[in-house]
Amino acid sequence: MHLKSLQLIQFKNYEKALVAFSPEINCFLGINGSGKTNMLDAIHYLSLTKSAFNPVDIQNVRHDQGFFSMKGEFDKAGKSVEIQCILEARKKKQVFNNGKAYEKMSEHIGLLPVVLIAPDDTSLIKEGSEERRKFFDSLLSQLDKNYLGKLVRYQHFLKQRNALIKQFVEQDRMDKNLLEPYDVELIQLSKWLYEHRKAFIDRFKPYLLHHYAEISGEREAVEIRYESQCEKPDFEAYFYGCLQRDLILKRTNAGVHKDDFIFEIDGHPLKKFGSQGQQKSFLIALKLAQFQVFKEETGTKPLLLLDDIFDKLDDFRIGKMMELVAHHEFGQLFITDARPERTRKIMQDIEADIAYFHIEGGKVSRQE
């Protein structure tokens, strides 16, 4: 699968842009703030119907404009797939597949798998458990529409139960009969989602460990552990036993929305004991494992978006990363870098169809 061309109108800092891509490696070069990352974000939008960096759709419209439009022409297994996304102020976002609008955005998820490696990924390590759950839930949702459906249902019942608990506290009353339907659903869905997350991590971890060993030269060992309240011998009793705490805190305190994924290096928390280079290497390995899982389970190589990945990596780790590129482990790549000379030097020994694009002030020009 590859993206043949991309058209942007009033998206972020692009007034208009039309770009044709190489099916192998595409490098966006330019100073910071020129629009390199915005180009990657547009590709992310067409793949997942949302921005990777700003969840508020209207804030991705160019300043003083009332809409944005983007269109991508993809080649998937020899067939042309045209995806268009249109957002107008005060109107519902629309996504079209070969001219036909989706009724639900979730119908599109998984059609065009994409993996993004970006500087903001450090939040997966440095922030709370919610960031890590979002990452793995997004990954699972792209692979399994049934998982996505169960997750959406869980989030709906969790929101409704939290609203009901808050109402009980505000009105100084309690009715367990009203809570029971939500409790039953959340308990059942928690167990189902837990089992699927657990099974997925078992499949995912070997890829992560393999890629980290490659990038780091086996200098240190990393680990990933999945922690969940559902591991308790009687999760159902634990859930009901949290009711008083729920009322005090005005929210549900038991369920898979409290799960966490623990990252370690040499037996210690990566957040506290990993250097910047080690953390960056872990994040790249995490995303390459995502790539590998997509490739193995869907038979399709995802688009790989690499945003400023050369920063904070030493020459050794960059070299190991580029070995994978040189061996054609990936499909179509999109790379950004603020230092053109660095990218050209790194790419000079790689035998591939490489396209270089200079970006300045939302203008794109292809270079030799």
Side-chain angles (χ1 to χ4, degrees), residues 60-89:
N60 295 296
V61 175
R62 192 165 180 262
H63 291 312
D64 301 322
Q65 301 298 318
F67 79 101
F68 74 63
S69 171
M70 61 179 68
K71 184 189 296 183
E73 185 181 358
F74 296 81
D75 182 294
K76 186 171 185 182
K79 294 183 179 180
S80 180
V81 179
E82 183 184 272
I83 303 299
Q84 184 175 18
C85 178
I86 299 175
L87 178 74
E88 295 182 68

Side-chain angles (χ1 to χ4, degrees), residues 115 124 132 135-137 139-140 143 196-212 222-226 261-263 282-294 296-297:
V115 174
L124 287 171
R132 292 180 285 280
F135 170 73
F136 285 105
D137 280 340
L139 208 165
L140 274 159
L143 290 169
H196 282 71
R197 286 177 178 175
K198 182 181 178 182
F200 177 76
I201 288 297
D202 288 341
R203 304 196 306 274
F204 181 86
K205 184 161 71 170
Y207 294 122
L208 170 67
L209 302 186
H210 169 73
H211 282 298
Y212 189 88
V222 294
E223 182 61 85
I224 179 173
R225 293 186 292 105
Y226 173 40
F261 299 85
I262 311 301
F263 303 152
F282 185 92
L283 290 169
I284 291 174
L286 193 73
K287 297 301 185 76
L288 293 182
Q290 177 186 359
F291 180 96
Q292 199 74 26
V293 168
F294 279 170
E296 297 293 335
E297 298 197 10

Side-chain angles (χ1 to χ4, degrees), residues 301-313:
K301 289 183 177 180
L303 304 179
L304 184 57
L305 316 180
L306 308 178
D307 190 19
D308 288 332
I309 65 159
F310 302 137
D311 289 342
K312 297 186 179 67
L313 285 183

Side-chain angles (χ1 to χ4, degrees), residues 132-146:
R132 292 180 285 280
R133 285 195 303 274
K134 282 182 179 178
F135 170 73
F136 285 105
D137 280 340
S138 174
L139 208 165
L140 274 159
S141 294
Q142 290 187 67
L143 290 169
D144 185 353
K145 287 190 178 296
N146 192 30

Side-chain angles (χ1 to χ4, degrees), residues 5-21:
S5 65
L6 175 65
Q7 181 185 69
L8 302 178
I9 300 175
Q10 310 297 1
F11 178 71
K12 294 193 170 182
N13 71 326
Y14 289 95
E15 181 181 4
K16 287 185 179 180
L18 178 59
V19 191
F21 297 117

Side-chain angles (χ1 to χ4, degrees), residues 14 16-21 26-30 34-36 39 344 355-368:
Y14 289 95
K16 287 185 179 180
L18 178 59
V19 191
F21 297 117
N26 299 273
C27 302
F28 301 127
L29 310 174
S34 60
K36 304 185 303 297
M39 189 66 67
R344 289 182 179 275
Y356 295 96
F357 300 91
H358 175 69
I359 299 182
E360 184 175 0
K363 303 290 185 183
V364 187
S365 58
R366 185 161 179 167
Q367 299 179 320
E368 294 301 323

Side-chain angles (χ1 to χ4, degrees), residues 209 212 216 218-225 263-271 273-275 278 282 317:
L209 302 186
Y212 189 88
S216 68
E218 300 184 357
R219 295 177 180 179
E220 56 270 336
V222 294
E223 182 61 85
I224 179 173
R225 293 186 292 105
F263 303 152
E264 295 179 339
I265 184 165
D266 288 336
H268 303 289
L270 181 64
K271 177 179 179 179
F273 293 90
S275 68
Q278 289 169 334
F282 185 92
R317 293 172 197 262

Side-chain angles (χ1 to χ4, degrees), residues 1 24 38 60 69-70 105 111-112 149 167 219 300 335:
M1 179 188 79
E24 296 186 356
N38 292 344
N60 295 296
S69 171
M70 61 179 68
M105 297 299 164
L111 176 67
L112 304 169
Q167 182 180 318
R219 295 177 180 179
T300 299
I335 300 172

